[in-house]
Amino acid sequence: METERYGDDATTEKERIKRRPHHLQQQQQLKKPYRGIRMRKWGKWVAEIREPNKRSRIWLGSYATPMAAARAYDTAVFYLRGPSARLNFPDLICREGRDSLRGEVSAASIRRRATEVGAQVDAVQVAAAAESRRCLAPDLNECPKLEDLEEIHHESLF
């Protein structure tokens, strides 16, 4: 690793990253809220993980929400590295347990299980978002009620 001189002490790249201003670290956290995921240019969240002792990666899928991609990553990393793995949601993965693969720990089986979990979480997240939007959006075909108009008029006065 390349070192540079700042004053009297030699500083490595890792040390310079640690010294970054706090606002730069916050910007990076906003871009990548969970481990093992990234956002595509068009807004989809994808998850992938590197296989241990190999250069290849296991593709875990593309999701509408970052939480779904993170859960897919958690599932895969748990099967690859066991209970000591660094997870995004450690309390949620323990409920599933390691025995759901029944001894199969191939890249294909890990991908299959991770995409199942991610798809389930994605479906729940997207449905919840649609439900909240539906509750907030007024029905444009419905005539306004007198009480609603009085409330809007009252709020505009204050």
Side-chain angles (χ1 to χ4, degrees):
M1 187 171 290
E2 198 175 298
T3 60
E4 294 182 14
R5 284 258 196 235
Y6 291 108
D8 292 339
D9 59 330
T11 306
T12 64
E13 180 69 21
K14 283 185 179 180
E15 290 169 344
R16 277 188 282 144
I17 289 171
K18 287 180 186 176
R19 292 182 187 171
R20 280 186 184 161
H22 188 62
H23 69 278
L24 289 178
Q25 290 175 352
Q26 285 178 336
Q27 285 176 347
Q28 285 180 339
Q29 287 175 351
L30 290 175
K31 280 185 183 177
K32 192 174 168 183
Y34 300 110
R35 294 179 68 77
I37 69 169
R38 59 190 163 88
M39 190 169 106
R40 296 260 192 208
K41 291 177 189 173
W42 50 89
K44 287 276 191 175
W45 292 89
V46 297
E48 60 186 349
I49 189 169
R50 188 175 299 278
E51 290 186 78
N53 305 319
K54 294 183 182 178
R55 294 183 64 143
S56 59
R57 294 179 179 267
I58 301 174
W59 179 253
L60 303 175
S62 180
Y63 304 96
T65 62
M67 184 183 229
R71 289 288 309 277
Y73 172 82
D74 278 2
T75 302
V77 77
F78 183 77
Y79 287 119
L80 285 171
R81 299 196 174 97
S84 63
R86 293 176 61 189
L87 304 171
N88 294 303
F89 306 102
D91 49 328
L92 296 177
I93 201 80
C94 291
R95 291 185 203 156
E96 294 171 14
R98 191 180 179 113
D99 54 284
S100 63
L101 279 182
R102 294 184 191 92
E104 259 187 279
V105 192
S106 67
S109 62
I110 290 170
R111 179 185 305 113
R112 187 172 38 255
R113 182 66 184 134
T115 53
E116 286 172 5
V117 170
Q120 289 171 355
V121 173
D122 214 13
V124 169
Q125 293 278 311
V126 169
E131 181 65 29
S132 69
R133 278 192 302 258
R134 193 177 63 155
C135 292
L136 296 176
D139 185 3
L140 299 177
N141 295 324
E142 188 177 306
C143 291
K145 297 177 184 164
L146 184 59
E147 302 88 38
D148 294 341
L149 293 175
E150 289 173 353
E151 186 177 308
I152 291 170
H153 178 69
H154 181 71
E155 288 176 359
S156 66
L157 294 175
F158 296 102

